Amino acid sequence: MKIGIIGAGFIGRALATLAVANGHEVMISNSRAPRTLGSTAVAIGCQVGTATQAATFGDLVIVAIPLAAYTEIPAEPLVGKIVLDANNYYPARDGRIEALDSHATTTSEMLAAHLPGAKLVKAFNAILQDDLATDARPAGTPQRRALPIAGDDAEAKRIATELIDAFGFDVVDAGPLAEGWRFERAMPGYCIALPKEDMKAALAAAERGVEVPHGSWRR
Ligand SMILES: NC(=O)c1ccc[n+]([C@@H]2O[C@H](COP(=O)([O-])OP(=O)(O)OC[C@H]3O[C@@H](n4cnc5c(N)ncnc54)[C@H](OP(=O)(O)O)[C@@H]3O)[C@@H](O)[C@H]2O)c1
């Protein structure tokens, strides 16, 4: 599969590395210019482009940029495509976003509203980039770590699940995109290594507005 990645920071690079290792063709991009990604591309074994080129390139496109920049993502090339949204809301970094603070929406619903026609799946937001390499295990491994997803398109979720499984993780479907708050920042299942049944329990236990202590998800 061709995978475009918008964002070439910690999580974009980690996902690009896994995607290449799994035989996918990858193009990464950042906010500056492809020429700033030359050594990264060589190290990972991927192509580089602008965000628009990565969006056009991918059959599936991963968004991995600071949330505050989400309106800069090119919408037109993503119409009809599967978009995996790894973004999180960190007010200290992104500034206060009233619609999120008031729980009127979720981070991924905001992105979906900006990308009409895209098949958006919230995925890879609830794992720290280092853990993508260290916690990956073959399918069937006891206590294999599970990652939560949410989305409104069943086929897009199926493909996201296949990709996550190939990357080394079980998947727990939290339901439609509107349920994505259950694994946003500081919810009980956020960036915690849990096997499938425990992740399901963590999603069920989440209460909107009730946060775990900041940073408790770090090891
Ligand atoms: N780090 C993690 O472990 C982790 C895990 C899960 C989810 N996340 C989430 O994933 C997102 C990215 O996190 P990160 O840690 O990878 O951040 P990061 O290391 O700061 O990297 C951000 C990347 O986004 C690019 N970018 C910024 N604005 C852009 C735009 N308008 N168009 C294209 N690219 C743009 C930056 O490019 P330039 O350098 O050229 O500006 C940079 O390559 C955040 O929402 C974060 O909360 C992070």
Side-chain angles (χ1 to χ4, degrees), residues 6-12 29-32 51 64-67 69 72 86-88 90 93 124-129:
I6 300 176
F10 288 116
I11 195 76
S29 61
N30 62 9
S31 76
R32 287 164 290 161
I65 67 173
L67 179 72
E72 293 165 21
N87 286 349
N88 290 302
Y90 278 82
R93 177 194 66 196
F124 293 122
N125 72 299
I127 181 167
L128 299 174
Q129 54 99 15

Side-chain angles (χ1 to χ4, degrees), residues 84 121 123 149 155-165 171:
L84 305 189
V121 180
I149 64 168
E155 176 65 3
K157 285 204 281 195
R158 188 187 65 74
I159 290 169
T161 298
E162 279 182 10
L163 189 71
I164 295 167
D165 180 57
V171 173

Side-chain angles (χ1 to χ4, degrees), residues 144-149 157 160-165 169-174 196 199-200:
R144 190 190 198 208
R145 182 170 177 173
L147 302 186
I149 64 168
K157 285 204 281 195
T161 298
E162 279 182 10
L163 189 71
I164 295 167
D165 180 57
F169 301 90
D170 285 346
V171 173
V172 174
D173 183 354
K196 200 166 188 172
M199 178 57 75
K200 283 183 191 171

Side-chain angles (χ1 to χ4, degrees), residues 72-218:
E72 293 165 21
I73 294 168
E76 194 279 327
L78 294 173
V79 172
K81 292 196 180 181
I82 297 170
V83 175
L84 305 189
D85 175 22
N87 286 349
N88 290 302
Y89 174 40
Y90 278 82
R93 177 194 66 196
D94 299 314
R96 283 276 166 202
I97 299 173
E98 206 282 323
L100 294 176
D101 291 340
S102 65
H103 310 303
T105 188
T106 60
T107 57
S108 293
E109 288 174 293
M110 276 174 32
L111 181 59
H114 174 67
L115 300 177
K119 299 168 191 169
L120 205 109
V121 180
K122 184 178 189 68
F124 293 122
N125 72 299
I127 181 167
L128 299 174
Q129 54 99 15
D130 285 340
D131 296 353
L132 279 169
T134 57
D135 288 356
R137 299 284 184 278
T141 303
Q143 299 296 102
R144 190 190 198 208
R145 182 170 177 173
L147 302 186
I149 64 168
D152 298 334
D153 187 290
E155 176 65 3
K157 285 204 281 195
R158 188 187 65 74
I159 290 169
T161 298
E162 279 182 10
L163 189 71
I164 295 167
D165 180 57
F167 282 7
F169 301 90
D170 285 346
V171 173
V172 174
D173 183 354
L177 211 54
E179 291 295 303
W181 65 268
R182 291 184 179 277
F183 53 99
E184 285 184 345
R185 178 186 52 79
M187 291 293 103
Y190 178 70
C191 291
I192 302 288
L194 296 174
K196 200 166 188 172
E197 292 309 315
D198 293 347
M199 178 57 75
K200 283 183 191 171
L203 296 177
E207 288 181 62
R208 217 157 182 182
V210 180
E211 299 189 347
V212 301
H214 182 84
S216 61
W217 50 87
R218 295 185 198 285

